[in-house]
Each structure stands twice: as structure tokens, then as C-alpha cells.
Amino acid sequence: MPTSLRYVFRRLVQALPMAFAIVLLNFLLLKLTPGDLADVIAGESGSATPEFMENLRRLYGLDIPVHLQFLNYIQGILHFDLGYSFRQGMPVGELILERLPATILLSLTAILFALLIGVLLGVVAARSRGSLLDEAISVVSTMGFATPLFWVGLMLIVLFSIELRWLPSAGMVTVGADYRGRWDEWLDIGRHLVLPAVTLSLFFLSIYVRITRSAMLEVYGLDFVRTARAKGLTEARVVIRHVLRNALLPIVTVTGLQLGAIFGGTVVVETVFGWPGLGRLAQEAVFSRDVNLLLGIFLCSSFIVIVVNLAVDLLYAALDPRVEVRQ
């Protein structure tokens, strides 16, 4: 077996205890929160007797001890069964598979936009260090750090959806749209994707600007850059072939971390724009005390983080020959 495959297998095996710890911690935290599904249903009904509450808890399996509930849940996971969402009326696995593509589309679009624009602005800022343009880019990136995502989303809706009427304000597709072909459907999804993707990308874009600028300024001072210039290489080739390539290493590391952390941002953005993804589904599950659904979403997001970090390690080794993938 090749060394890289052995490394991947070893990392996946090491991830099993971590996944178990994540499931256990999430389960205990959700059980420690006040209220349960029976309380939510009783509150919606307006009144409930103790007998009615007892029957609800017996119906949903909430009357058995917590440790037995956890063991039953683990047994279900081992059989690839994430449980049943009584609020949504569907198996949790089907719900996640139904909503996951929308969240992946939003997250990857936001990361790619932030990566392209952030790296470009970081290169420009490093090339014009100390100039007015460098200061302007720094101010804009600082504003991206400080501005809440929900406020940015609302302002974009007011400007581009209400005032200019250029882009839709909510949803993933136009309700009742009569598409003439697959291209019309993709175009409609793309129009709905613009505002939430831009909103979600602003914070991460600011990070890429600062990291790219710092990394490039550090590489500019190394000996091999001066050697490349002494050989008569053009400045564009020095920047792209030598400086930017070496500055990409910290960017790759941060990208892996952000892909894991971006789920927290999707909860806010998907709620503001009505985007039918996992983030909005998690928000609905919190308010309805749907423990099975929340645990399934957390487990799915944890698995994605583990896989992304593994991919980043392999990509890091490919970009930097000094880094070896060991068995």
C-alpha cells in the first residue's frame, strides 16, 4: 500500500475516538439544556396535563435514562441510522442528504470568492506597501472583520433586492418558475446564490487579505527572491512563480480551518436569506428541541471537518516538498 494511502487510513482510524467524543459531548450538552420535544409540543398545544406530558415522553423515548438513550443512539449510528426527526416527519439521514448540497454549494462558493479576491487584494497590498492603496485595502479588510454578517446580509437585501431589484432576496429558486431547460434553472440558482455567498465570504476575505499580505512581505525579504531578480526575471514572474507560491502555504492552512468554521456562518446567513441548507435546518431544530436532528447535523459537520483537514494536510505536502506524509 502506498505511503499516502497508509497515512489516510491511519488518520481516519485516529478520527474515530474524536468522532465518539464529539457525539458524546453534543449529546450531553443538548440533554443539559432546559426543555425537550415534549415541552415544545405541549407549549404549542396551549395546555397539557401531566398525563399528556408523560405519554409524550414515553412516545418519543424520553422517559428512559440518559445513558440508555445515548447507547441507543450509538447503536443506531453503527447501523448507519441517525434516528427520526419527529418534528420534520422524516429520517434524519434523509433530511441531511436533502439539505447538504445547498450548504456545500453556498460554503464552497463563499470560500472560493473569498480566496480569489482576498489573495488578489493581499498581493496588491504587498506590492504597494506603505502606499495609499495599501492603507485603503487594510481599512476595508478591518471593516470586514468588524461588521456582523446578519447586518451585511440585510443591507445587501435592501440595496440589491428592494431598491435596485437586481437580485432575489430569499430562497434558492424562484417559486413556481417554469424553466425551459437545465441552464435556466442553474441561472436562477446562481442569481439566488450571489447575495448569501458574498455576505458569507466577507469575513473570510478579510482574513485572506491580511495573511496574503503578511506572507508575501515575509517571502520578499528572503535570499532566493533577490537571486531571482538578479537573474533578470520579470517582476511578474518573481511574484507569481517564487513569492506567491511560497506564500500560499499559510493560506492553505487557514483555508482548511475556515472550511471547518464556516458552518457557524451558514446558520446566520441561511436564516437571513432563507437558504434551504443545514444551517437553517439546525436553527429550526434548536427551537423545536429536535435532539436527533441536531446530533445528526453536528455529526455530519464534524465528519466534513475531519475530511477537509486530511485533504489540507495532503495538499500541504504537495505544495511544500519539505513536508513529508509519513506512515
Side-chain angles (χ1 to χ4, degrees):
M1 182 183 295
T3 303
S4 58
L5 291 181
R6 288 198 296 267
Y7 174 77
V8 171
F9 179 76
R10 182 170 60 85
R11 285 289 301 271
L12 291 177
V13 171
Q14 291 175 349
L16 293 178
M18 184 186 306
F20 177 80
I22 291 173
V23 172
L24 176 60
L25 180 62
N26 288 330
F27 186 88
L28 293 178
L29 289 176
L30 290 175
K31 287 300 180 180
L32 288 174
T33 56
D36 54 19
L37 181 60
D39 293 322
V40 175
I41 296 176
E44 292 176 350
S45 66
S47 62
T49 62
E51 292 77 14
F52 178 70
M53 297 288 292
E54 183 179 352
N55 290 333
L56 282 178
R57 291 192 169 92
R58 185 182 302 111
L59 175 64
Y60 297 127
L62 303 175
D63 59 330
I64 63 177
V66 174
H67 69 280
L68 293 181
Q69 295 182 36
F70 179 72
L71 292 177
N72 291 337
Y73 183 75
I74 292 296
Q75 184 178 4
I77 291 178
L78 295 177
H79 291 84
F80 302 100
D81 181 13
L82 298 179
Y84 191 84
S85 173
F86 297 99
R87 296 294 295 175
Q88 301 287 342
M90 289 179 60
V92 171
E94 293 183 12
L95 271 171
I96 292 176
L97 291 177
E98 181 182 295
R99 299 290 190 97
L100 183 59
T103 295
I104 291 178
L105 176 62
L106 174 60
S107 301
L108 290 182
T109 304
I111 283 292
L112 288 176
F113 179 80
L115 187 61
L116 293 175
I117 304 301
V119 170
L120 178 61
L121 292 178
V123 171
V124 173
R127 291 282 297 124
S128 55
R129 179 183 181 183
S131 66
L132 183 61
L133 181 59
D134 181 26
E135 296 295 332
I137 293 176
S138 297
V139 170
V140 172
S141 63
T142 302
M143 291 176 62
F145 277 118
T147 308
L149 291 181
F150 74 89
W151 185 87
V152 174
L154 293 175
M155 292 302 102
L156 291 180
I157 289 175
V158 171
L159 178 59
F160 292 101
S161 299
I162 298 177
E163 297 294 334
L164 299 177
R165 299 183 182 274
W166 288 355
L167 297 168
S169 61
M172 187 174 177
V173 294
T174 302
V175 178
D178 184 17
Y179 301 121
R180 298 180 179 178
R182 183 68 67 179
W183 173 254
D184 289 343
E185 182 181 0
W186 290 348
L187 185 61
D188 187 38
I189 293 175
R191 294 181 68 249
H192 285 80
L193 179 63
V194 171
L195 292 185
V198 171
T199 301
L200 185 58
S201 68
L202 287 181
F203 175 80
F204 303 102
L205 188 151
S206 303
I207 296 177
Y208 284 129
V209 170
R210 289 182 172 272
I211 290 179
T212 304
R213 180 182 182 276
S214 300
M216 288 197 63
L217 290 177
E218 181 180 352
V219 175
Y220 265 130
L222 299 180
D223 293 336
F224 72 90
V225 176
R226 290 190 289 268
T227 303
R229 285 172 173 163
K231 290 181 178 180
L233 297 180
T234 62
E235 189 63 23
R237 188 169 183 179
V238 170
V239 171
I240 297 174
R241 188 74 179 272
H242 297 279
V243 180
L244 184 57
R245 182 178 179 180
N246 288 274
L248 284 177
L249 298 178
I251 297 174
V252 169
T253 303
V254 172
T255 301
L257 296 175
Q258 288 180 347
L259 285 173
I262 200 171
F263 179 75
T266 61
V267 174
V268 177
V269 173
E270 289 181 5
T271 302
V272 171
F273 290 96
W275 188 262
L278 283 183
R280 186 181 176 194
L281 186 64
Q283 185 257 353
E284 295 172 356
V286 168
F287 285 104
S288 62
R289 297 296 192 273
D290 196 337
V291 175
N292 286 341
L293 182 54
L294 275 174
L295 287 174
I297 294 173
F298 291 155
L299 182 62
C300 177
S301 60
S302 302
F303 177 77
I304 292 175
V305 170
I306 292 172
V307 172
V308 166
N309 286 333
L310 176 59
V312 167
D313 289 344
L314 296 175
L315 180 59
Y316 204 99
L319 289 175
D320 191 350
R322 297 169 298 180
V323 178
E324 295 182 1
V325 175
R326 298 185 180 275
Q327 181 178 349

